[in-house]
């Protein structure tokens, strides 16, 4: 547990996440003008070209309206194209542009370098233990706080 003098795990994980997002933002935004919140969306669209806005919302567990706003900005920035589904004109399909594909190549390199730097502070046995602990915590949280029906894991 933790006291007033010692921060708890939620604090440390949150601080680490914020720091990682800041690093990604500084490196990716400078090069491509992409916000860190858009990065997971790019990966999802890369994994499933032609994905619908609703499927993106479900995968990221965010409201469809939020996805629509993000996609509008990304489309304006030249990162994605939205096309009308041929079978259901109400559905918009999302595709990456070459600019987004180039950005993802760069982002993957940034993430690989960042992960390497993070793990370099740990010995190999500590790295393995760290990953096992994170997986164990995620599994427990999945059991205690199961995803809602509309949520989808990626």
């Amino acid at each position: 547990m933790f006291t007033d003098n010692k921060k708890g795990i939620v604090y440390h994980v949150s601080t680490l996440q914020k720091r990682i997002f800041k690093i990604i933002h500084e490196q990716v935004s400078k090069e491509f003008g992409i916000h860190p919140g858009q990065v997971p969306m790019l990966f999802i669209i890369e994994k499933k070209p032609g994905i619908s806005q609703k499927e993106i919302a479900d995968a990221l567990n965010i409201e469809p309206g939020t996805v629509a706003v993000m996609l509008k900005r990304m489309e304006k920035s030249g990162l994605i194209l939205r096309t009308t589904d041929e079978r259901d004109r109400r559905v918009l399909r999302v595709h990456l542009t070459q600019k987004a594909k180039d950005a993802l190549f760069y982002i993957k390199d940034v993430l690989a370098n960042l992960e390497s730097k993070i793990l370099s502070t740990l010995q190999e046995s500590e790295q393995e233990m760290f990953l096992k602990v994170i997986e164990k915590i995620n599994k427990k949280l999945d059991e205690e706080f199961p995803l809602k029906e509309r949520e989808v894991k990626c």
Side-chain angles (χ1 to χ4, degrees), residues 8-21:
I9 190 168
V10 173
Y11 169 83
H12 288 290
V13 170
S14 176
T15 302
L16 182 60
Q17 179 193 20
K18 288 175 189 173
R19 184 170 291 152
I20 289 169
F21 261 55

Side-chain angles (χ1 to χ4, degrees), residues 68-83:
V69 170
M70 290 175 74
L71 289 175
K72 186 175 184 178
R73 288 183 185 145
M74 293 169 73
E75 189 172 38
K76 189 175 181 180
S77 298
L79 295 168
I80 58 117
L81 295 172
R82 291 187 283 184
T83 59

Side-chain angles (χ1 to χ4, degrees), residues 18-129:
K18 288 175 189 173
R19 184 170 291 152
I20 289 169
F21 261 55
K22 184 177 183 202
I23 292 166
I24 293 168
H25 179 65
E26 288 173 354
Q27 293 187 27
V28 174
S29 183
K30 286 178 189 174
E31 192 70 26
F32 292 95
I34 297 172
H35 187 276
Q38 296 172 333
V39 173
M41 194 175 292
L42 290 173
F43 278 108
I44 288 169
I45 299 165
E46 178 189 44
K47 187 176 180 180
K48 189 175 178 188
I51 190 170
S52 72
Q53 291 184 196
K54 182 188 178 318
E55 290 170 312
I56 293 170
D58 289 345
L60 293 174
N61 188 31
I62 57 179
E63 293 298 319
T66 303
V67 170
V69 170
M70 290 175 74
L71 289 175
K72 186 175 184 178
R73 288 183 185 145
M74 293 169 73
E75 189 172 38
K76 189 175 181 180
S77 298
L79 295 168
I80 58 117
L81 295 172
R82 291 187 283 184
T83 59
T84 304
D85 186 284
E86 293 176 7
R87 286 178 262 147
D88 186 346
R89 312 255 332 136
R90 298 170 296 174
V91 176
L92 290 175
R93 298 287 173 188
V94 183
H95 301 272
L96 298 177
T97 62
Q98 188 59 49
K99 179 180 177 180
K101 292 174 185 176
D102 293 344
L104 274 171
F105 182 80
Y106 181 79
I107 290 166
K108 288 174 185 177
D109 189 53
V110 167
L111 293 176
N113 287 330
L114 182 56
E115 185 165 320
S116 178
K117 286 179 184 175
I118 291 168
L119 292 177
S120 72
T121 63
L122 304 172
Q123 293 181 8
E124 191 172 328
S125 61
E126 292 174 315
Q127 291 176 19
E128 291 172 14
M129 180 59 73

